[in-house]
Amino acid sequence: MAHRRPTQSEVARLAGTSTAVVSYVLNNGPRPVSEETRNRVLAAIAHTGYRPNNLARALVSGKSAALGLIVPDLANPFLAQLAQCFEREFFERGYCLLVGDSQDDLEHEIAVVETMLRQQVDGLVWYSVDQPPPLDVIATSNVPAVILNATESQRIQQKNAEAGRLICVATDERAHAQMATEHLISHGCTRIAHLGGPHTRLNSRERSRGWRDALRQAGLEPAGHCTAPFSREGGFAAASTLSEFNPDGVVVGNEMQAIGLLAALAGAGISIPDDIAIIALNGTDGAEFTVPSLSAIHLSAQDLAHDVVEALLGGNNTENTGQKNNENEESRTVAPVVAHAHLIGRASCGCNEKYEDTNEYRD
């Protein structure tokens, strides 16, 4: 049998005040409440077990105190770590985070975005399967959005700056792959191959360009290039093709591919890094615990989440959301957020001791 939920009226009756005063206490305004009355209301809330109905509040205020995060694959450790950082940042500001997994499928992704919008989320953080993302799905919405993997971010930002509702994260995938390749070259590698992601993905093509840039600048020829899904299985299956290139180093598209590749090479009796040095992009905390430990380019997930949330919310929290000046909100413009990255060299590339390049690489 379902239990009846306590109401705001019951809280007001027990506290000996009005429902309006209870609302002022819950929302920290807009009118002041004496300390003695506030304590009575809080005691009544504790006694009854009352919880505010956010759906009802959203209907009145137009604000849900919920934000949406859409990612292609929550099994990806990098995206899972990023989601955790976002949840922490939003929660500290009084927001609930709804997370949607698009399963690397664009049609499903669009359905997830539309579902988030129907839930009246106050904002979206969106890592799209496709680049550029299908922005038409949010074109008729007034919901602000952060595009985590936008292409031509400056152009998109300028086009939407007047509305102040589209924020682009600038991530230089090409530069990150170039840095990874240069690190292998610094270890003496001369036959460097690249394991990339699906060729239909723009970020895969950008990483391939960065790999080629570094080789060209060093006067080296590519040892070979192959593509695979951004998964452990993809990295494992690509090992036989990569071995045919006879490389002494491999730049890997992401951490999951690298984990699969390490397992396959170890099973084939290939020594890492003595036979082949390995470095990956988008490393996570888990890179420390592979065998051997995985060298990687790391994006600063916590810093990125903090910067995105600050840009999206503008320092506001759910206690003052309803008191924003609409005119100021409409005229607010936000510069693109820049993703910072740094290289951590570990055993897989030949670093005898953990090496961290403290320089931050930016667009």
Side-chain angles (χ1 to χ4, degrees), residues 74-96:
L74 270 175
N76 183 322
F78 170 71
L79 295 175
Q81 182 172 306
L82 196 59
Q84 186 178 54
C85 292
F86 276 119
E87 194 281 333
R88 184 183 304 119
E89 291 288 334
F90 283 130
F91 186 78
E92 288 177 354
R93 290 161 177 79
Y95 284 85
C96 172

Side-chain angles (χ1 to χ4, degrees), residues 14-325:
L14 184 62
T17 187
S18 67
T19 55
V21 170
V22 174
S23 178
Y24 300 155
V25 172
L26 290 169
N27 296 298
N28 198 30
R31 294 185 179 180
V33 177
S34 70
E35 191 66 24
E36 189 272 333
T37 300
R38 177 181 296 276
N39 289 336
R40 289 206 321 271
V41 169
L42 293 175
I45 289 172
H47 180 78
T48 60
Y50 172 73
R51 295 290 183 275
N53 186 329
N54 279 343
L55 178 59
R57 296 171 73 179
L59 292 173
V60 174
S61 68
K63 302 291 182 179
S64 66
L67 296 118
L69 171 66
I70 302 101
V71 296
D73 181 12
L74 270 175
N76 183 322
F78 170 71
L79 295 175
Q81 182 172 306
L82 196 59
Q84 186 178 54
C85 292
F86 276 119
E87 194 281 333
R88 184 183 304 119
E89 291 288 334
F90 283 130
F91 186 78
E92 288 177 354
R93 290 161 177 79
Y95 284 85
C96 172
L97 183 64
L98 306 179
V99 181
D101 187 335
S102 63
Q103 302 170 28
D104 266 323
D105 181 273
L106 184 58
E107 289 187 8
H108 184 66
E109 174 179 283
I110 292 172
V112 170
V113 172
E114 290 176 340
T115 299
M116 294 282 189
L117 295 176
R118 286 197 297 271
Q119 294 296 320
Q120 302 295 310
V121 293
D122 294 335
L124 287 175
V125 181
W126 184 2
Y127 194 115
S128 181
V129 171
D130 206 9
Q131 296 104 359
L135 296 177
D136 56 298
V137 72
I138 61 171
T140 58
S141 167
N142 291 322
V143 173
V146 177
I147 311 301
L148 289 178
N149 61 336
T151 58
E152 302 178 59
S153 59
Q154 296 289 343
R155 179 187 64 80
I156 296 173
Q157 177 65 28
Q158 289 170 2
K159 180 179 177 182
N160 294 273
E162 291 184 4
R165 68 179 191 87
L166 187 63
I167 304 161
C168 299
V169 175
T171 304
D172 197 337
E173 305 267 12
R174 185 171 182 172
H176 296 171
Q178 181 174 346
M179 291 184 293
T181 309
E182 289 171 347
H183 187 70
L184 293 187
I185 293 172
S186 74
H187 278 285
C189 295
T190 58
R191 303 185 311 279
I192 302 175
H194 177 46
L195 170 56
H199 70 276
T200 55
R201 301 278 286 271
L202 181 59
N203 58 356
S204 299
R205 300 197 296 273
E206 285 297 292
R207 294 169 191 180
S208 176
R209 290 188 182 101
W211 163 68
R212 293 182 187 277
D213 289 344
L215 294 178
R216 183 172 56 253
Q217 291 176 17
L220 298 174
E221 290 295 322
H225 173 264
C226 66
T227 63
F230 282 129
S231 65
R232 300 178 188 90
E233 294 81 4
F236 191 93
S240 58
T241 301
L242 286 167
S243 296
E244 292 174 3
F245 300 147
N246 190 32
D248 58 6
V250 180
V251 176
V252 186
N254 78 353
E255 182 180 284
M256 290 202 299
Q257 287 178 321
I259 290 172
L261 178 61
L262 287 174
L265 294 178
I270 296 173
S271 175
I272 307 297
D274 296 335
D275 297 329
I276 302 177
I278 304 289
I279 191 169
L281 279 74
N282 288 354
T284 70
D285 295 342
E288 187 78 34
F289 302 100
T290 62
V291 179
S293 57
L294 179 64
S295 301
I297 302 293
H298 289 252
L299 287 179
S300 302
Q302 185 57 55
D303 291 343
L304 176 58
H306 175 80
D307 292 347
V308 164
V309 172
E310 285 294 306
L312 184 63
L313 300 181
N316 292 294
N317 57 39
T318 55
E319 292 184 350
N320 60 21
T321 297
Q323 302 171 47
K324 290 180 185 177
N325 184 307

